[in-house]
Amino acid sequence: MIIYIIRRLLYTIPIVFGVLLLTFVLFTLVGGDISIEIAGKGASAATINEIRQEYGLNKPLFLSWDSQFVNHFKSALTFDFGRARDREPVIDKIKRGAGPSLALMVPIFVGTIIISVSLALIIAFLRGTVWDSLTVIICVAGMSIPYLSFILFGQYFLAYKWGLSPVFFSPDLSMAQYTALPILIGIVTGLGGEVRFYRTVMLDEMRSDYVRTAFAKGLSTRRVLFKHVLKNAMIPIITRVVLAIPFLFLGSLLLERFFGIPGLGYLMIEAIGSRDYFVINAMTYISAILFVIFNVITDICYAWVDPRVSFD
Amino acid sequence: MYLPPGIKNLSQKEFALKLSSVVFTAALLVIAGCEGAPSGEDANEAVIYAVMPSKIQGFDPGYTSGIYSAQVASEIFECLYQYHYLKRPYKLIPQLAEGMPEVSRDNLTYTIRIKKGIYFADDKCFADGKGRELKASDFVFAWKRIANIKYLSPNWWIFEHKILGLDEFREYTKSCKGQFDVDYSLGIEGLETPDDYTIVIRLKKPWPQIMYLLAFPPTAPIAKEAVDYYGKDIIRHPVGTGPFKLNVWNRGSYIELVKNPNFREEYYPSEGEEGDRENGFLADAGKRLPLVDKISWLIIEEEQPMWLQFLRGKLDASAIPKDSFGNAISPSRELTSDMKERNIRLVKIHDPDTYFIGFNMEDPVLGNNKPLRQAISCGYNRAGETELFWNNAWDVAYGFIPPMFEAYNPKIKEIGQRYDPEKANQLLKQAEKIYGGKLPKLRLTIGATDTQSRQLGQYNKRCLEEIGLEIELEFMDWPIFMEKLNTKSCQIFSVGWMADYPDTETFLQVFYSKNASPGPNHYNYSSKKFDEIYEKAVVMPNSPERTELYRQAEQTVLEDCPAVCALHRVRYILCHDWLGNYKGHVFPYGVWKYRKVDVTKRAAYKELLKKG
């Protein structure tokens, strides 16, 4: 197993290199020169040149030990992402944004999984009934409605009209107060797709011979569902759940923006808008690393839940 | 469908339904408990809750360039001069200066005395943590710092080629290793401090606009101790002499300023313009400033939450979102009855800006074809744009000088640019003759990719296609757009220009040939006649002769038509009745010290909301 993990971790090297190369090409070669924008209005060529020097944009792109790409690579490997365009160290920005993003995304993630898996089990159990059909209709409707509509609707009715929650962040509110509504919206918007997916997974299992055998042996419904069906449905659940974890780090752009939560989703989009290459580079790199790590964890989990999977 | 045994077990179904209802009820209960929970708000504290529609870069006035950063910094830092809060047209009055400057006969030397007994806010950057007295050298340090090329200030345009010796100082900084290796003790001929309270500025050539720039936040004095102590982090550790100091800056969420206990004695003005007394703007005349304990800016970039926060009384003032305009403003441009019932007031602000459809005069098709440019100007329906996109609130532009400027020509509606599709068709025929056949497809570039900008681009295209032109649209992000402008790569483009100070020169500079791209003259317009007028007017002090020259310059541009003058922006701001002394100001630097809140009225509004 250790050899397997080492081998998988070695695979990450070309992946990370590819990510770094891609971000570099996209923002350096395609994105254009940021120095003119930083220089301000009517800046002279000398000022623009000085900015290029400060940000290392006057160095060769590839073919040198001190090239822009090598420096980009070095900063990623040492986790020294430098300072953002507003002169704040990039790592400080990420540390500050990670808390609010996770405070929002972890409850949404956990809540969505618990509710969707439970509902899927129940619906799979009630398949063919009116409850099953109703749930499928609601799920499809939920998936069809744009995410933004849930936010606008929730904010207008639950917060503004009915006063059940604050409309927006305020310094005198606790985190629980200003994140409660976005968490609820995040969970509700995610349920449609998740419930449908898990229902399909559960239904596949419910049709299996071992389920009929279990019922024939006289096992209780609860035992069949939770002990047998759920355990056998774990492979697709793990794939979906574990691989979703790295994206929690990226936060939710729309929820953060509409509810004033200063998380990483907001940070990333702003960085793209203002071409803050240093922030984009750091966020992309960290996301890529997390994704690769969680991919390995997913594989390990497969073996843990399914004895048929081996590392050979 | 195969159904396993046990599926009809009703107790399981009941269990399932109960489980789902428990989860959702719990979620709703958590939500419902949120709004009513106790908060840390002190009801008697005079706090202004304002909105910031964008994140700010920081609090270092020399380094930041955005309007919002400058607005917040101007509450912490002060300049030599400031705009009178109430008087219109906008008038400069001393802020840190003792009086108006003594100007030499040749208009090249300005001697300014600063007030004594002004102290920086207490900060750990000072030896004993107590703010020291402001000195003339703090101004010179701040300006040299902007000149320091390694500091990468976007505000160098203010001083470039203006002060004796400062450009040479900038040249010297090129040889320094980093921004903190520059020797600021080096003397500069044009910036002297004969004593701690006097600054002598010597200019290379007359520069009457200097007075406005001495009221511009980037020229505020900076304590060298703060720069040395905080280094690059000074962007989040402002140490100024202003009425407020920074309490909390939660980047991306909110900014909180509190009263600076070291702030000197400054009083609310006792004079204003006509109607100010009747409108209650002089009720606080003679009161010591600031009038509130705290200002809290919430950063809200989306319109819906900003608007809902305002309606719930969590914000004291707000702009009106485009989609809610009809709910707030009636067709007669008055407040709707719903807004009046809430005791909300309307403040209209005519911004000192002009939006253009510009032409690259170096483009072979457009540059040599004046009838073509004029045809585009005549074919652009400006009133249609304001109706379709700006709720009919913006003013149609006939020239590039906005109405608030002294040089605004009262006859501009008759002699300026206007929508005239018939004339456009005639001009287009002339344009085709000059071109020698059917005109090629023209490319219009828009420096934004959001939905509204795309819609506006489509509208521009439609207007020009209606007169028979073929238009190709291209949309791009602002930085790439700027790069294209700076490299003269656009053909037709959409831009705006906002005045930094109330002198028409700020608009004229964008048509001056020596400011061609990468300078602000992105039209690359070059007219000997215009340049002569500009060079003559720009060094003249304010006078009727200068105003006349400004108007001549405008007329020259309108005739040559390097750009279509489209619209002047008008902002509609709503205020709750508890926000007092809120008078619109287009140079909103250091204005919050004059504003006040009535906490009783704010509490009454909350009661009104509870009653529904």
Side-chain angles (χ1 to χ4, degrees):
Chain A
M1 181 168 145
I2 290 170
I3 293 168
Y4 173 81
I5 293 171
I6 291 170
R7 200 169 63 226
R8 286 303 309 268
L9 287 175
L10 287 175
Y11 285 158
T12 64
I13 294 172
I15 294 171
V16 169
F17 183 84
V19 168
L20 288 172
L21 183 66
L22 200 66
T23 50
F24 180 78
V25 168
L26 281 176
F27 289 96
T28 311
L29 301 183
V30 183
D33 191 343
I34 56 167
S35 49
I36 297 166
E37 191 195 348
I38 299 172
K41 62 181 178 184
S44 66
T47 308
I48 293 167
N49 192 44
E50 196 62 39
I51 291 166
R52 291 177 58 79
Q53 202 173 318
E54 164 86 8
Y55 287 94
L57 301 172
N58 54 348
K59 292 179 179 171
L61 285 172
F62 289 103
L63 301 171
S64 157
W65 284 112
D66 191 27
S67 67
Q68 290 184 48
F69 181 68
V70 171
N71 289 332
H72 165 76
F73 198 72
K74 270 190 221 163
S75 70
L77 290 183
T78 54
F79 284 88
D80 175 14
F81 300 109
R83 284 178 183 259
R85 280 182 50 187
D86 62 3
R87 295 197 170 176
E88 188 186 16
V90 173
I91 203 74
D92 288 359
K93 274 185 185 292
I94 293 173
K95 280 182 196 164
R96 197 182 52 248
S101 266
L102 292 175
L104 177 69
M105 294 307 292
V106 171
I108 290 177
F109 176 69
V110 174
T112 308
I113 292 168
I114 293 173
I115 297 171
S116 56
V117 172
S118 311
L119 266 179
L121 260 178
I122 296 162
I123 297 308
F125 180 62
L126 300 174
R127 68 190 178 282
T129 66
V130 66
W131 295 106
D132 182 28
S133 309
L134 196 63
T135 308
V136 171
I137 291 166
I138 292 171
C139 284
V140 172
M143 288 162 70
S144 314
I145 297 168
Y147 196 66
L148 187 61
S149 307
F150 282 100
I151 295 176
L152 295 174
F153 181 88
Q155 194 169 47
Y156 186 79
F157 286 100
L158 294 178
Y160 173 66
K161 276 281 180 196
W162 303 335
L164 294 174
S165 149
V167 169
F168 197 78
F169 164 86
S170 175
D172 53 291
L173 297 172
S174 69
M175 191 182 271
Q177 285 175 301
Y178 68 79
T179 55
L181 181 58
I183 287 172
L184 181 73
I185 292 172
I187 291 173
V188 170
T189 48
L191 281 181
E194 296 296 301
V195 170
R196 277 209 69 195
F197 173 77
Y198 293 125
R199 176 185 169 275
T200 311
V201 170
M202 300 299 174
L203 277 180
D204 281 348
E205 293 301 325
M206 295 284 268
R207 292 188 188 107
S208 305
D209 285 346
Y210 73 88
V211 177
R212 194 185 315 146
T213 310
F215 278 118
K217 279 166 64 183
L219 293 182
S220 71
T221 308
R222 190 173 302 169
R223 194 168 169 79
V224 173
L225 288 179
F226 290 96
K227 176 83 180 170
H228 298 281
V229 175
L230 188 58
K231 191 171 179 188
N232 282 291
M234 282 310 271
I235 291 275
I237 293 176
I238 283 171
T239 311
R240 198 170 174 94
V241 168
V242 182
L243 287 182
I245 293 174
F247 294 103
L248 302 184
F249 167 77
L250 289 174
S252 164
L253 162 72
L254 284 176
L255 285 173
E256 289 176 11
R257 197 173 162 102
F258 272 81
F259 290 94
I261 298 162
L264 295 176
Y266 207 171
L267 176 70
M268 183 69 169
I269 291 298
E270 262 211 345
I272 293 169
S274 62
R275 297 206 301 168
D276 198 331
Y277 175 62
F278 309 96
V279 175
I280 297 166
N281 175 34
M283 291 288 290
T284 315
Y285 178 65
I286 294 172
S287 305
I289 295 274
L290 286 174
F291 191 77
V292 167
I293 291 171
F294 278 89
N295 230 323
V296 176
I297 293 173
T298 310
D299 288 351
I300 297 166
C301 288
Y302 286 163
W304 176 52
V305 296
D306 190 345
R308 292 169 298 179
V309 177
S310 85
F311 292 109
D312 296 330
Chain B
M1 179 190 260
Y2 168 73
L3 287 172
I7 193 72
K8 304 290 180 195
N9 186 338
L10 282 177
S11 64
Q12 295 297 321
K13 197 183 277 182
E14 280 166 10
F15 166 76
L17 289 170
K18 275 180 187 169
L19 181 70
S20 349
S21 58
V22 162
V23 171
F24 281 105
T25 312
L28 280 172
L29 282 173
V30 169
I31 294 285
C34 291
E35 180 73 336
S39 72
E41 203 178 305
D42 178 357
N44 293 318
E45 202 175 27
V47 186
I48 289 178
Y49 293 101
V51 64
M52 187 65 65
S54 171
K55 284 182 186 176
I56 65 162
Q57 296 164 299
F59 303 91
D60 183 352
Y63 184 71
T64 54
S65 60
I67 177 88
Y68 300 117
S69 301
Q71 274 181 34
V72 179
S74 69
E75 305 299 333
I76 300 169
F77 295 91
E78 293 176 293
C79 293
L80 282 166
Y81 297 96
Q82 62 182 330
Y83 293 97
H84 195 286
Y85 183 57
L86 299 175
K87 288 186 179 172
R88 303 290 182 274
Y90 291 93
K91 187 189 168 196
L92 286 177
I93 55 169
Q95 191 171 41
L96 291 173
E98 187 66 53
M100 299 312 277
E102 288 168 23
V103 186
S104 64
R105 282 190 165 203
D106 59 5
N107 291 320
L108 290 175
T109 306
Y110 285 66
T111 305
I112 302 166
R113 288 185 180 80
I114 62 167
K115 287 174 184 164
K116 292 178 180 171
I118 307 276
Y119 285 85
F120 282 102
D122 294 344
D123 192 276
K124 58 187 175 187
C125 71
F126 298 111
D128 52 358
K130 291 271 172 202
R132 68 156 169 81
E133 192 180 10
L134 174 78
K135 293 175 186 169
S137 56
D138 295 314
F139 289 92
V140 175
F141 170 70
W143 302 345
K144 281 180 176 173
R145 192 164 164 254
I146 289 173
N148 176 358
I149 199 163
K150 303 285 178 185
Y151 173 51
L152 303 180
S153 169
N155 298 303
W156 170 239
W157 63 271
I158 296 171
F159 296 115
E160 192 171 23
H161 308 315
K162 306 274 179 30
I163 295 176
L164 279 175
L166 199 57
D167 295 271
E168 289 73 11
F169 179 79
R170 186 171 176 83
E171 278 302 307
Y172 146 71
T173 62
K174 284 182 184 172
S175 62
C176 298
K177 203 176 168 191
Q179 63 161 302
F180 300 107
D181 301 312
V182 170
D183 180 5
Y184 287 103
S185 65
L186 287 175
I188 287 179
E189 192 188 347
L191 289 175
E192 282 185 1
T193 53
D195 59 62
D196 280 349
Y197 304 101
T198 309
I199 309 163
V200 179
I201 305 169
R202 292 194 184 85
L203 304 175
K204 288 182 174 175
K205 59 180 181 183
W207 179 31
Q209 294 77 26
I210 185 177
M211 292 304 297
Y212 298 117
L213 289 154
L214 294 178
F216 195 42
T219 63
I222 303 285
K224 190 170 184 300
E225 296 92 322
V227 176
D228 291 342
Y229 188 85
Y230 292 112
K232 281 188 176 175
D233 284 338
I234 193 162
I235 199 156
R236 52 188 164 131
H237 293 285
V239 184
T241 60
F244 297 97
K245 59 179 191 171
L246 181 65
N247 189 36
V248 185
W249 179 31
N250 192 329
R251 286 181 197 239
S253 283
Y254 74 105
I255 305 153
E256 190 177 275
L257 305 187
V258 291
K259 232 179 198 178
N260 171 14
N262 289 3
F263 186 56
R264 65 178 188 284
E265 287 187 32
E266 192 187 355
Y267 299 95
Y268 192 90
S270 51
E271 291 175 358
E273 65 172 338
E274 205 181 315
D276 278 350
R277 193 168 297 280
E278 294 73 28
N279 290 325
F281 288 123
L282 288 169
D284 292 303
K287 280 190 184 166
R288 191 168 174 185
L289 301 173
L291 299 176
V292 292
D293 302 312
K294 205 189 268 185
I295 310 171
S296 177
W297 276 284
L298 269 185
I299 297 163
I300 311 181
E301 295 185 75
E302 288 296 334
E303 287 188 332
Q304 169 164 303
M306 177 192 71
W307 181 240
L308 299 183
Q309 281 286 79
F310 173 72
L311 293 180
R312 283 197 73 78
K314 302 275 185 186
L315 288 176
D316 300 340
S318 167
I320 310 169
K322 186 174 176 288
D323 296 334
S324 302
F325 198 84
N327 297 332
I329 306 293
S330 68
S332 60
R333 308 285 105 183
E334 300 288 320
L335 285 171
T336 56
S337 54
D338 179 34
M339 294 296 122
K340 283 179 185 164
E341 279 165 22
R342 292 168 184 258
N343 296 320
I344 286 170
R345 282 182 293 121
L346 170 65
V347 179
K348 285 183 202 172
I349 302 176
H350 291 258
D351 278 330
D353 57 19
T354 306
Y355 288 82
F356 300 99
I357 296 173
F359 307 118
N360 178 5
M361 296 291 279
E362 290 188 12
D363 180 80
V365 179
L366 287 158
N368 302 320
N369 202 332
K370 190 158 92 173
L372 173 58
R373 300 192 301 270
Q374 288 175 328
I376 293 174
S377 172
C378 289
Y380 190 62
N381 185 353
R382 298 146 175 93
E385 183 190 326
T386 182
E387 187 188 348
L388 200 58
F389 291 93
W390 315 112
N391 296 299
N392 255 335
W394 292 24
D395 291 334
V396 168
Y398 300 92
F400 62 78
I401 303 176
M404 64 156 278
F405 284 82
E406 208 176 334
Y408 178 74
N409 193 336
K411 292 178 189 161
I412 197 74
K413 283 186 187 175
E414 289 89 57
I415 59 172
Q417 296 180 343
R418 75 173 76 77
Y419 175 54
D420 186 345
E422 276 182 29
K423 195 176 172 189
N425 286 322
Q426 291 166 14
L427 285 163
L428 217 52
K429 283 173 191 157
Q430 291 178 38
E432 282 176 346
K433 272 186 194 166
I434 293 172
Y435 184 72
K438 191 178 181 302
L439 289 160
K441 190 181 259 190
L442 300 172
R443 197 179 61 252
L444 171 62
T445 310
I446 310 279
T449 53
D450 59 283
T451 312
Q452 183 152 318
S453 300
R454 285 179 185 277
Q455 290 168 340
L456 193 51
Q458 289 295 340
Y459 176 78
N460 295 339
K461 183 177 184 232
R462 197 195 78 197
C463 282
L464 304 187
E465 283 178 344
E466 275 176 7
I467 58 165
L469 288 168
E470 274 189 86
I471 300 292
E472 179 192 349
L473 278 176
E474 64 174 358
F475 299 91
M476 58 193 62
D477 288 332
W478 180 255
I480 301 168
F481 174 66
M482 284 306 294
E483 205 169 314
K484 280 193 81 137
L485 284 181
N486 288 339
T487 52
K488 305 179 180 178
S489 314
C490 291
Q491 191 175 34
I492 308 178
F493 48 92
S494 175
V495 283
W497 187 261
M498 185 160 183
D500 293 311
Y501 42 83
D503 186 324
T504 305
E505 183 272 337
T506 187
F507 280 95
L508 260 55
Q509 61 177 275
V510 300
F511 296 104
Y512 183 46
S513 67
K514 289 183 183 167
N515 287 340
S517 292
N521 177 5
H522 295 305
Y523 318 101
N524 305 307
Y525 171 63
S526 178
S527 156
K528 201 178 166 197
K529 187 180 170 191
F530 175 87
D531 285 357
E532 278 173 10
I533 300 171
Y534 176 79
E535 282 163 9
K536 195 174 169 191
V538 77
V539 293
M540 285 171 73
N542 190 7
S543 62
E545 292 78 35
R546 190 181 74 165
T547 302
E548 188 48 40
L549 285 174
Y550 281 163
R551 286 177 184 165
Q552 284 176 22
E554 182 184 41
Q555 208 46 48
T556 308
V557 171
L558 295 180
E559 175 58 28
D560 288 339
C561 197
V564 177
C565 302
L567 297 171
H568 304 297
R569 186 172 62 167
V570 181
R571 278 180 294 146
Y572 280 57
I573 306 289
L574 297 185
C575 308
H576 283 293
D577 66 335
W578 62 78
L579 180 63
N581 300 334
Y582 190 95
K583 185 169 180 175
H585 206 293
V586 297
F587 304 106
Y589 306 125
V591 293
W592 289 96
K593 64 187 172 193
Y594 300 107
R595 292 169 181 167
K596 63 177 181 180
V597 287
D598 184 333
V599 290
T600 324
K601 282 184 180 172
R602 185 186 272 152
Y605 184 79
K606 286 184 180 167
E607 286 303 313
L608 186 81
L609 287 181
K610 275 182 193 167
K611 285 175 194 165

